[in-house]
Amino acid sequence: MENKLQELTRKLYDEGLEKGRAEADKLVANARREAEKIVSDARSEAAEIVSRARAEAEDAGKNILTEVALAGRQAVAKIKSEIASLIVAEATSEGVKRTALDPEFIRGMLLSMAKNWTGDASGRVELTALLPEAERAQLDKAFDACAKELLSAGVEVGWSKQVKTGFKVGPKEGGYYISFSDADLEALLSEYLREKVSRMLFKA
């Protein structure tokens, strides 16, 4: 009886042990599979991160190159424009200053403006031209000689301390003036010539 009990106990023990081993093997296999999956997923994710980082680095590099190229083009364009401006200023500055005080030039401009100015309802033009008070001694004689011609064109000439060079012209009763100082003439001329000089210099 005792032998049978021992045999039964051993058999149950062996079966339990076998079952425990099988369960343990199953758990180990599952754990191994899970670990392999985690490692595989981690490798895939790492590869994707590296790939994304490379793509972003390439994009950043391209963007930097584009920005550098654009900044370079803008700098070159600015330098070209400044060179053209300097050449135009050097070539025109003195001439414009002389012209702005040349009685014949001012007379021609005033007559041309009177001819092209829109008059009142009757078509009569009435303009006031202000010349520099500081240059009155130089200009007075010249404008005395052509006063009749200017008056018949509808231009009345006066003098102003606010006008330093050139002249200002506006409607007699209008309350506003258009300025034609040496700086104004130089700005107009520079705007016109800068592009031409730039094309000549840089074949743009």
Side-chain angles (χ1 to χ4, degrees), residues 123-185:
R124 174 156 176 75
V125 174
E126 289 190 327
L127 299 175
T128 299
L130 299 177
L131 304 179
E133 179 71 46
E135 305 298 329
R136 190 167 186 164
Q138 178 190 336
L139 297 173
D140 213 1
K141 189 176 177 184
F143 278 91
D144 276 350
C146 66
K148 191 181 283 186
E149 181 185 18
L150 288 168
L151 280 171
S152 66
V155 182
E156 184 180 295
V157 175
W159 306 90
S160 170
K161 288 181 180 175
Q162 276 73 45
V163 180
K164 305 302 178 192
T165 62
F167 60 95
K168 287 185 177 182
V169 65
K172 197 169 181 182
E173 306 297 332
Y176 71 89
Y177 288 95
I178 299 170
S179 176
F180 289 91
S181 68
D182 58 353
D184 299 318
L185 293 169

Side-chain angles (χ1 to χ4, degrees), residues 95-116:
V96 167
K97 280 180 180 150
R98 280 195 305 274
T99 303
L101 290 172
D102 177 37
E104 190 55 35
F105 169 76
I106 296 172
R107 183 191 71 80
M109 285 283 285
L110 291 174
L111 289 172
S112 179
M113 289 182 80
K115 185 178 174 183
N116 292 287

Side-chain angles (χ1 to χ4, degrees), residues 29-46:
N30 286 343
R32 204 170 268 138
R33 276 196 302 274
E34 191 63 34
E36 284 171 1
K37 185 177 183 306
I38 288 168
V39 169
S40 175
D41 289 350
R43 280 182 182 149
S44 296
E45 193 173 340

